[in-house]
Amino acid sequence: MPSIRAAFAVSVVFGAVVALGGCSKKPDASSAPPAAEPAAASQATPPPAPEAPAPAATMISLDIKDASGAAVSGDPVSGKSVFAQCETCHSKDAGTNKVGPSLHGIIGRHSGMIPNFHYSDANKNSGLVWTEQQLYAYLENPQKVVPGTFMTFTGVKDPQKRADVIAYLQENTK
Ligand code: HEC
């Protein structure tokens, strides 16, 4: 009901003017702070629209559920910097092994499949398939998921960082 709102706004402004007028009759009016007028004026205009949220990260949805059953998404851009840790030991390029096997095509790959890489028996015989969900569990604590693994890496404890690096792997190791 705009007419009522306008009437209200006018009455607010009018009230402020009357208040100021009242003040100005006092002998010490010059020392009164002039703050009332702009405040009243701002009530007559609608408040500015709320700021648009910061641009969302480039989240991609993953085939992962967290402990509470909620779907997990990851940001491959942030995942690139997490992958910097992996890169000391792993390449994402096919045929390139370092201390660890190439991670090319890792998502959906059966464990221990790089033919010319010398795996531990623990990793080779784990029977795991590196689904996104399995990587999410493994990368939290590799030694717990594959006891006896040669992968001397404590893991990525932050669940979002784990999701991010998996998003990065999904986009960059196909
Ligand atoms: C300190 C070196 C090192 C780091 C850092 C490291 N890895 Fe590994 N990773 C290895 C080694 C060595 C193996 C082989 C383990 C075995 O044979 O027991 C391995 C194995 C794996 C495997 C199983 C591969 C297969 O073919 O079965 C995956 C998946 C993996 N790493 C992912 C990662 C990811 C993702 C990161 C970073 C978040 C990472 N690793 C960090 C050394 C490392």
Side-chain angles (χ1 to χ4, degrees), residues 13 26 31 37 41 60 69 74 78 94 97-98 106-108 110-111 125 127 129 133 135 142-143 150 153 160 164-165:
V13 173
K26 290 185 187 165
S31 68
E37 206 176 336
I60 60 174
S78 143
N97 299 323
K98 296 182 173 177
I106 189 63
I107 293 177
H110 199 283
S111 60
N125 302 330
V129 174
Q133 186 78 55
L135 284 167
Q143 286 80 20
F150 288 167
F153 175 66
Q160 190 57 56
D164 292 348
V165 78

Side-chain angles (χ1 to χ4, degrees), residues 85-86 89-90 99 109 111-112 119-120 123 130 149-151:
Q85 300 177 65
C86 321
C89 302
H90 291 284
V99 171
R109 194 168 91 192
S111 60
Y119 288 99
S120 67
N123 190 114
W130 300 119
T149 178
F150 288 167
M151 176 150 129

Side-chain angles (χ1 to χ4, degrees), residues 59 72-75 78 136 157-165:
M59 299 296 266
V72 171
S73 299
D75 172 11
S78 143
Y136 188 70
K157 302 304 172 194
D158 181 311
Q160 190 57 56
K161 290 219 159 73
R162 254 177 7 255
D164 292 348
V165 78

